[in-house]
Amino acid sequence: DAPAATRPPSLDRLLRLSRIPGRQQWRWGIRRMRLLQRGPLRLTTAPLEQDPRTAAVAMGYSADAPAATRPPGTGAALWRQLGRVCCQLCPDTEPTIQDADLQLKRLVLVGMRAAGKSTLGRVAATRLGVQFVDLDEVLEQEVFGCKINAFVDKHGWAKFREAEARLLEDVVVRGLFISDPRSGCVVATGGGVIETPSALSVLKAHTPVIWIDRHIDDIIRCLEGVGSYRPGLGTPPREIYAKRRPLYEQCSDFVFTMRCGDDNWLFLEKRFADLAAWADRSAAGCRGLEAANPVCVPIVAASLQAALDDVAEAAIEGAGLVELRVDKLTGGVEAVLEALPKLLRKTHSLGLPAVVTFRPTWEDPNAGYIGDETPRLQALRRAAELGAAFIDVERAAVQRWAGIGGLPKGSKARLIISSHNFTEVLDLSSLRALVAEMRGSDAKIAGAGPESVVKIAQMAQSSADAARMLTVLREQAGQPTVALAMGEAGVFTRILAPHFGAIFSFGCLSGRASAPGQPDAIEMLEVYRLGAMSGHTKVFALLGDPVAGSGLPKLLNAGFAADAWNAVFVGMLVRGCSVEEFLEALPSGLIAGAAVLASHSEAALKAAAEHDASSARRARADALLPKSGGGYVARGLEDGLVGEVAEASAYYELFKGSPVPSIVRDAMMLAAAAQGRA
């Protein structure tokens, strides 16, 4: 409802492009405006189960918009769903723990008193579905039998620190004071626990540890109003912070930075929950938690400042991690060594784990590095020392990597052993042999443990080529893997990678792809909801050539989100092979149903084992549904469907096997309006 004069110019530009008339345009543009601000994403959230008008305001919509300005059919139910349709970076599906071996993971939070460890820790525990353990509460209730300030007054700080260190080891190492020792938990520690050498050793040896680095000015303001329930520190908080800061840095794997004045706790809680889910997933070797956010955004800028800006933009767009392609920086190794501390400090402050890649042209013709190998690999070692989460080393360079010492001692970085083929996708037996060698002999040479990641990227000349990569991912389930097909034919492998447990997939900032076939990160998150995708997600396909121009994926995925259906609709280009060859190349049982464009409708009918009367009469298949015992049944849609919303609704009804709810149809209409397809 803000007057036009007060709206940011960038928003008005987006409103003109969005083709949604009037006030609806302003509401829809809120999300896009945030992406152009290059600042923290400020959300005021409210649970969807609250009053629909309150929820609408929380998601950036105007609750007092007159009914006449809303699209037809926009009632209370649609107001309740607006967040699901347009703010899909916050999916309804919560991650769940599936692998018992990973439930021993304990996520530990450190930071100053009043940093927010208890508040954020409870949010993270809820997100992960695990127990929250506050060491201060356990000390008071289970160990001391009195308040901490009373214990400190009677016995002094030294005795308190001793008891605190023992309790930390009991909880983190031995699993005591946890209701179910086999389950994971989130542990909030006391602010000064790191001052005890034995406790610091426990934290250094443990993964993951998150340092909540709230600005000291905000901590001081908070402490001034806490009353007397906390014992006095005896030293000004600013001096204590300066003393403890290097200790927090030594023991933490991730840093959650809160800038001065950050008081939007609803936003902070969401961002912290995302970071906690990633930290737990990363420590578990990428399996066990359904992907919290597996979208990795490559940063390919040529200058340091542009790269820093792109990192901030990636965070705003909702990236789960970033790949720093430092080979793209101008200035060679010297420029890279100068830029790495600043880039990694930026990623840490935004809670984004970083993959550092220094790609040579002998591996990738489009890479930026030409020069000696030793300085390049030494720069990667320096990145590991500075706190990079992953270091990408090419398979052909593993021997030289081992020769300079491999990962530095004490580094918590994980090694990615990568292989690229810009000519073809190998046959399945060759792919299997390649993966086995990379995970076996190559990892052994590099001195990498089982947590190291195998990454394979190959250029697909046909859609059947690309499909083989998904088979590789399925066979590597339980082991950290990235496998994708490059090129237009392989786009669907990037979108479906989390379905098969890939540790992450690549999506670019708009127009800044680092490899052929990279989709936009924001599309991966908002349209395909990769943050909610898991092995339980039903996969529906759009078969044809071309598929990029179709609006069906956006409409159907908006409908899936509105209906809270754990499903995804993905365009699959069928090129360089027949429909039958493509379907056979896909992992068995993957496709729960497929829509077929006119370009391949006749071929799809021939590929089907059975057909209904409608498809036989018109000599084409509008859809394919899996048949019990194998193969597909060709189905035809009813005649007279006008517009993509009607077509999407027909496919939805066919896939779901039930009438389309009004909330789904409304969501599709809203998505169509956003594309100018209504």
Side-chain angles (χ1 to χ4, degrees):
D1 300 324
T6 67
R7 303 176 193 168
S10 57
L11 176 59
D12 278 329
R13 182 172 70 255
L14 287 164
L15 299 183
R16 289 195 295 273
L17 295 175
S18 68
R19 305 182 188 176
I20 306 176
R23 292 157 63 94
Q24 184 66 22
Q25 208 175 48
W26 164 237
R27 294 192 293 273
W28 183 270
I30 294 282
R31 173 71 182 90
R32 291 285 179 249
M33 177 189 70
R34 296 190 184 107
L35 304 185
L36 297 183
Q37 285 180 319
R38 292 181 182 270
L41 177 59
R42 299 283 183 178
L43 272 177
T44 305
T45 31
L48 288 178
E49 60 267 17
Q50 288 186 7
D51 176 75
R53 294 168 69 83
T54 304
V57 172
M59 291 302 179
Y61 293 82
S62 170
D64 61 351
T69 67
R70 305 177 192 166
T74 308
L78 180 58
W79 281 102
R80 190 184 298 277
Q81 299 294 333
L82 283 173
R84 290 182 181 175
V85 176
C86 306
C87 297
Q88 293 171 7
L89 284 180
C90 309
D92 289 33
T93 305
E94 295 293 336
T96 57
I97 292 179
Q98 297 176 329
D99 187 340
D101 292 334
L102 303 179
Q103 295 180 16
L104 296 174
K105 295 298 176 185
R106 287 154 197 145
L107 192 154
V108 180
L109 311 182
V110 299
M112 286 283 288
R113 173 189 295 186
K117 297 186 294 295
S118 297
T119 300
L120 298 176
R122 287 187 173 88
V123 172
T126 300
R127 169 73 176 269
L128 298 175
V130 298
Q131 180 184 355
F132 173 69
V133 179
D134 189 319
L135 294 190
D136 284 350
E137 292 180 0
V138 176
L139 284 169
E140 291 181 343
Q141 298 169 14
E142 305 290 340
V143 180
F144 299 154
C146 64
K147 293 295 184 181
I148 290 176
N149 56 352
F151 182 88
V152 171
D153 289 343
K154 183 175 181 180
H155 301 284
W157 277 109
K159 289 289 186 182
F160 171 78
R161 293 294 180 213
E162 183 181 333
E164 183 183 45
R166 281 199 306 269
L167 177 63
L168 175 69
E169 187 171 1
D170 285 344
V171 172
V172 173
V173 179
R174 301 184 182 92
L176 303 181
F177 299 100
I178 299 174
S179 56
D180 179 4
R182 290 290 300 169
S183 68
C185 66
V186 176
V187 181
T189 63
V193 69
I194 40 82
E195 294 186 6
T196 307
S198 60
L200 185 61
S201 298
V202 169
L203 293 170
K204 285 182 177 180
H206 181 77
T207 297
V209 176
I210 299 179
W211 170 25
I212 300 177
D213 186 18
R214 189 180 187 186
H215 197 279
I216 188 60
D217 290 346
D218 291 331
I219 288 176
I220 292 172
R221 277 193 293 271
C222 183
L223 290 175
E224 288 172 350
V226 298
S228 60
Y229 84 95
R230 298 175 190 254
L233 294 170
T235 305
R238 203 175 299 276
E239 294 182 23
I240 294 175
Y241 177 76
K243 174 186 174 183
R244 292 177 180 174
R245 182 181 178 87
L247 301 177
Y248 290 136
E249 290 176 342
Q250 288 177 34
C251 68
S252 58
D253 304 292
F254 302 90
V255 182
F256 185 74
T257 301
M258 298 164 65
R259 295 173 233 183
C260 187
D262 272 352
D263 57 2
N264 188 339
W265 282 92
L266 289 170
F267 164 71
L268 293 170
E269 288 170 2
K270 182 201 174 296
R271 281 296 290 170
F272 184 77
D274 289 342
L275 172 61
W278 165 259
D280 197 79
R281 181 172 177 262
S282 177
C286 90
R287 300 292 297 175
L289 287 179
E290 295 180 2
N293 185 344
V295 177
C296 179
V297 173
I299 306 299
V300 296
S303 70
L304 173 59
Q305 187 56 53
L308 292 170
D309 289 344
D310 285 352
V311 169
E313 186 173 347
I316 294 168
E317 292 205 2
L321 63 164
V322 293
E323 180 190 31
L324 302 177
R325 284 292 304 266
V326 294
D327 57 287
K328 298 291 187 178
L329 292 172
T330 56
V333 174
E334 294 78 11
V336 169
L337 291 172
E338 182 180 351
L340 277 172
K342 299 175 183 177
L343 286 169
L344 289 170
R345 193 178 304 121
K346 182 73 169 179
T347 62
H348 289 169
S349 70
L350 294 171
L352 288 175
V355 180
V356 177
T357 301
F358 200 171
R359 192 78 72 218
T361 53
W362 54 257
E363 176 76 6
D364 176 358
N366 297 314
Y369 182 73
I370 303 174
D372 294 337
E373 281 296 282
T374 300
R376 179 180 77 89
L377 296 176
Q378 286 174 339
L380 289 174
R381 289 191 89 235
R382 178 58 179 154
E385 293 171 348
L386 291 169
F390 299 91
I391 300 296
D392 186 313
V393 175
E394 300 75 20
R395 184 191 181 210
V398 162
Q399 193 77 49
R400 287 188 289 267
W401 172 254
I404 66 166
L407 288 173
K409 186 177 181 180
S411 167
K412 294 183 179 180
R414 296 168 64 184
L415 187 66
I416 298 176
I417 301 175
S418 61
S419 172
H420 302 79
N421 186 329
F422 288 86
T423 304
E424 62 178 349
V425 175
L426 301 177
D427 61 79
L428 197 53
S429 61
S430 298
L431 283 172
R432 287 168 175 154
L434 175 61
V435 172
E437 290 177 11
M438 293 173 70
R439 205 175 293 285
S441 58
D442 291 344
K444 185 176 180 180
I445 292 171
E451 75 283 354
S452 62
V453 181
V454 166
K455 176 194 170 189
I456 298 177
Q458 300 190 347
M459 180 65 71
Q461 300 299 331
S462 73
S463 302
D465 290 346
R468 291 199 290 276
M469 281 297 181
L470 296 183
T471 299
V472 170
L473 270 179
R474 172 178 280 182
E475 293 175 352
Q476 292 298 307
Q479 302 183 81
T481 308
V482 177
L484 55 89
M486 294 183 287
E488 190 178 1
V491 171
F492 71 91
T493 67
R494 299 174 181 271
I495 294 171
L496 292 178
H499 178 76
F500 294 98
I503 187 168
F504 53 76
S505 186
F506 291 94
C508 66
L509 297 174
S510 181
R512 282 161 278 184
S514 65
Q518 271 183 9
D520 286 354
I522 196 165
E523 185 177 64
M524 297 173 79
L525 288 163
E526 292 193 346
V527 176
Y528 298 104
R529 297 183 295 154
L530 264 69
M533 190 181 293
S534 74
H536 302 293
T537 302
K538 285 185 175 293
V539 177
F540 297 95
L542 175 65
L543 306 180
D545 184 8
V547 294
S550 174
L552 286 175
K554 290 185 177 179
L555 270 62
L556 277 162
N557 284 312
F560 293 164
D563 202 20
W565 189 14
N566 187 12
V568 64
F569 186 77
V570 183
M572 295 187 179
L573 182 71
V574 182
R575 182 180 294 173
C577 62
S578 67
V579 171
E580 188 172 6
E581 290 170 335
F582 176 61
L583 293 174
E584 288 179 355
L586 288 169
S588 60
L590 173 64
I591 302 299
V596 184
L597 295 179
S599 61
H600 284 66
S601 59
E602 293 181 9
L605 182 64
K606 294 177 183 178
E610 296 179 9
H611 50 75
D612 67 358
S614 175
S615 60
R617 175 174 53 84
R618 295 188 293 179
R620 71 171 192 264
D622 295 319
L624 294 174
L625 296 180
K627 176 178 173 288
S628 59
Y632 294 87
V633 178
R635 298 289 297 271
L637 299 182
E638 62 183 80
D639 295 325
L641 295 174
V642 179
E644 281 192 332
V645 173
E647 187 179 2
S649 298
Y651 278 121
Y652 196 97
E653 185 169 330
L654 184 64
F655 294 154
K656 194 75 180 281
S658 60
V660 180
S662 60
I663 190 66
V664 170
R665 194 179 298 275
D666 288 340
M668 290 180 178
M669 289 177 59
L670 195 59
Q675 302 177 73
R677 295 174 180 270

